[in-house]
Amino acid sequence: STTAKRKAKKQAEGKSTTNKEKARQKNFFMTLGKAKAKGKRSLVDTRRVLKGHVDRQKRGGKRGNVGSK
């Protein structure tokens, strides 16, 4: 397949895997706790989390350049 060829070529060049590929290989039991907590979230908590995502996106990532606004 094309994906397999691309992956082999990438590996030959000495590049590592993407975050999506790493997440796919992650142990399923490691992700269970987070999924359970996500289901039990109240609407207020969900709103706070989503608002945080929007703010972070506007700032420019996790750290963001706070000083250069």
Side-chain angles (χ1 to χ4, degrees), residues 47-66:
R47 183 172 168 267
R48 190 179 300 133
V49 169
L50 291 174
K51 193 170 176 2
H53 283 296
V54 172
D55 290 343
R56 215 168 295 120
Q57 205 170 23
K58 283 181 185 172
R59 254 199 341 261
K62 190 173 183 179
R63 298 191 175 156
N65 294 329
V66 181

Side-chain angles (χ1 to χ4, degrees), residues 20-34:
K20 196 178 270 190
E21 288 170 332
K22 287 174 188 170
R24 215 179 288 132
Q25 291 170 357
K26 191 168 193 173
N27 187 345
F28 177 70
F29 288 102
M30 283 185 180
T31 61
L32 271 184
K34 193 171 187 178

